[in-house]
Amino acid sequence: MSVTIKDVAKLAGVSPSTVSRTCSNHPAISEKTKLKVKKAMMELGYEPNFQASNLAGKSSKTIGLILPIQENDIYENSFFLEVIHGICQYCNKYKYMNTIISENSEEKMITFIDSIVKAGKVDGFILLYSKVKDPVVEYLNSHSLSYVMIGKPSSNINSTIYIDNDNITAGKDATDYLINLGHKKIAFVCDRENRIFIQDRQTGYISSLIGNNLPYEERWCIYKDLNNERDIEEIKKIFTSEDAPTAIVAIDDIVALTLEKIFNDIGIKVPEDISIISFNNSLLSKLTKPQLTCVDINNYQLGEESAAQIIKYVQNKEMVATKIIVPHTIIERESCKAIEK
C-alpha cells in the first residue's frame, strides 16, 4: 500500500494540511516543523507530488461537484439541479467556478479526480450524495483532499464537513402525517438501498409506526427497481392484494410519480384508493395530477450551505469539521386523503 500524506502527518505529529504546506514550502510553516515533516517523509519513503501540493499554496478558484455513480435518473432528477443551482449562486458571489464530475464507475471517477488534482485545477470538492463504503470518499480521505458532503457520512463522521437534513425526523414526520389522517397500513417505497438518507428515512418511518402503536411489517418496506417490468408486476400484486397498504411514504418525487403511473394502469386512484407522501418538493411534484404532498428538504439551501463550507475550508484548512442540518417542512397538496379512524 502506498504511503499517503495522512501517514506522514501521523508520524510527524502534525495535520495533513501542514504536510501539504511543507511540500509547497509555505511561509506560514516554521523551519522546525518543516524539518520534522521532511524527516517523517524520508523515514516512510514518501515522495510528494508537487503538482498536487500546489493546491495548498495556489488557488484555482474552482470547486468540483461529484455526482453519484450509476444512477440513470441524475439528469432527470431536479433534486440535483436545485442543489447545483444553490452551489453555483453562492460560488458566483465569491468568484469561484464549478466543474461537474460524472462517471459511470468508481475507478473512472477516481482516475479523473486524480488527474485534475495533480494538474492543480480544483481547490476542493462537494459530493452531492453519501453512501456506505464509497471508494471515492476513501480516495479523498487517503489523499487528504478538501471536500464537503451533502448527506451524512457513513464513517469519519466527526472529521467530515457535511450538510444534511434530519432524515430520521423527516421520515417520522411523513409517516406521522399519514397516521394522523387515519392510515394504519403504510408502505415505505424506494428504488435503491445503499444511500444513507434512505436508511435514515426508513428508521424514521419505523419509529413513527412503533411510537403510534402500529405493527411494523417488513414486507411493506419495498425496495424495487421501478424501471424493471418484473418489479413493477410485484408492485401491482402488493397493492391489489386484500391486505394492501392504504398509504405510501415514497423516497422521492420520481418514485411517487412512477407509482402514480403504475396505479393508474391498474385502476387504483390517488388519493381516493391510496395516499402518497414523498420527499424533495421538486417542480415535478406540482406538475402531476393530483399534485403531490411532499416533505420539502430545501434543496437549494443544501447546495448553498455546502458551497459556503467548502470555500471556508479551502481558505482555512485548519477549520474544525462542522455539520449543518437544513430544516424540512411538509407541503400539503392533493395526494393524501383522510380515512375513517
Side-chain angles (χ1 to χ4, degrees), residues 103 105-115 135-136 139:
E103 286 289 356
S105 74
E106 275 110 4
E107 183 179 4
K108 289 181 180 179
M109 179 76 79
I110 290 169
T111 299
F112 182 77
I113 291 171
D114 186 66
S115 69
V136 175
Y139 170 84

Side-chain angles (χ1 to χ4, degrees), residues 73-132:
D73 64 352
I74 285 176
Y75 298 104
E76 301 170 5
N77 192 331
S78 63
F79 167 80
F80 295 107
L81 298 178
E82 291 168 16
V83 168
I84 291 170
H85 184 208
I87 293 171
C88 292
Q89 289 296 299
Y90 190 90
C91 286
N92 288 346
K93 293 178 187 177
Y94 294 90
K95 305 297 188 290
Y96 273 77
M97 297 181 293
N98 304 120
T99 182
I100 303 289
I101 303 172
S102 176
E103 286 289 356
N104 57 14
S105 74
E106 275 110 4
E107 183 179 4
K108 289 181 180 179
M109 179 76 79
I110 290 169
T111 299
F112 182 77
I113 291 171
D114 186 66
S115 69
I116 61 174
V117 167
K118 288 178 177 176
K121 292 182 178 179
V122 290
D123 290 335
F125 299 91
I126 299 174
L127 282 90
L128 277 71
Y129 68 95
S130 63
K131 72 173 187 177
V132 178

Side-chain angles (χ1 to χ4, degrees), residues 212-223:
N212 286 281
N213 297 314
L214 294 175
Y216 163 58
E217 300 275 358
E218 187 174 352
R219 64 196 170 108
W220 287 345
C221 277
I222 302 165
Y223 289 83

Side-chain angles (χ1 to χ4, degrees), residues 29-73:
I29 308 300
S30 70
E31 289 302 318
K32 181 179 179 181
T33 300
K34 288 177 182 177
L35 286 172
K36 185 165 57 172
V37 170
K38 288 175 181 178
K39 181 181 177 183
M41 290 165 64
M42 289 179 64
E43 286 185 28
L44 294 172
Y46 177 75
E47 296 183 6
N49 183 302
F50 289 101
Q51 283 182 302
S53 65
N54 281 341
L55 289 173
K58 182 181 178 181
S59 174
S60 67
K61 301 286 281 188
T62 300
I63 304 299
L65 311 184
I66 303 176
L67 293 173
I69 290 165
Q70 293 176 337
E71 290 188 16
N72 297 326
D73 64 352

Side-chain angles (χ1 to χ4, degrees), residues 110-294:
I110 290 169
T111 299
F112 182 77
I113 291 171
D114 186 66
S115 69
I116 61 174
V117 167
K118 288 178 177 176
K121 292 182 178 179
V122 290
D123 290 335
F125 299 91
I126 299 174
L127 282 90
L128 277 71
Y129 68 95
S130 63
K131 72 173 187 177
V132 178
K133 295 180 180 178
D134 184 7
V136 175
V137 171
E138 291 173 5
Y139 170 84
L140 295 174
N141 285 331
S142 67
H143 289 75
S144 300
L145 298 174
S146 304
Y147 71 92
V148 168
M149 180 179 291
I150 295 179
K152 186 171 68 178
S154 63
S155 60
N156 301 312
I157 193 165
N158 292 325
S159 59
T160 301
I161 302 171
Y162 69 95
I163 319 298
D164 199 10
N165 306 107
D166 182 347
N167 281 299
I168 294 177
T169 300
K172 182 179 183 301
D173 288 348
T175 312
D176 284 346
Y177 178 82
L178 295 171
I179 291 171
N180 289 334
L181 291 177
H183 295 278
K184 295 182 179 179
K185 296 186 290 183
I186 302 169
F188 179 88
V189 181
C190 91
D191 55 350
R192 58 183 67 93
E193 298 186 55
N194 65 342
R195 295 287 184 261
I196 306 298
F197 76 89
I198 292 175
Q199 297 171 3
D200 282 353
R201 288 176 190 171
Q202 182 180 342
T203 297
Y205 157 81
I206 295 170
S207 172
S208 173
L209 294 176
I210 294 171
N212 286 281
N213 297 314
L214 294 175
Y216 163 58
E217 300 275 358
E218 187 174 352
R219 64 196 170 108
W220 287 345
C221 277
I222 302 165
Y223 289 83
K224 297 295 180 184
D225 179 356
L226 299 182
N227 293 310
N228 180 287
E229 285 300 324
R230 181 179 296 178
D231 283 359
I232 289 172
E233 289 304 313
E234 288 187 30
I235 290 279
K236 291 177 180 178
K237 185 176 180 182
I238 291 168
F239 288 97
T240 54
S241 66
E242 285 189 13
D243 193 33
T246 64
I248 294 171
V249 176
I251 200 62
D252 62 31
D253 296 341
I254 291 177
V255 167
L257 294 177
T258 306
L259 288 171
E260 280 192 344
K261 182 179 182 300
I262 292 170
F263 293 153
N264 184 62
D265 290 344
I266 56 177
I268 295 176
K269 295 182 179 179
V270 178
E272 289 85 356
D273 301 319
I274 193 161
S275 292
I276 301 176
I277 186 170
S278 68
F279 293 83
N280 288 1
N281 191 37
S282 67
L283 176 63
L284 294 173
S285 66
K286 290 168 270 190
L287 295 178
T288 184
K289 188 174 178 65
Q291 294 186 345
L292 286 170
T293 293
C294 291

Side-chain angles (χ1 to χ4, degrees), residues 5-10 14-22 141 143-144 317-318:
I5 283 180
K6 279 193 171 182
D7 298 323
V8 176
K10 185 176 180 180
V14 298
S15 69
S17 62
T18 297
V19 176
S20 181
R21 291 181 179 187
T22 297
N141 285 331
H143 289 75
S144 300
K317 287 186 169 55
E318 303 297 334

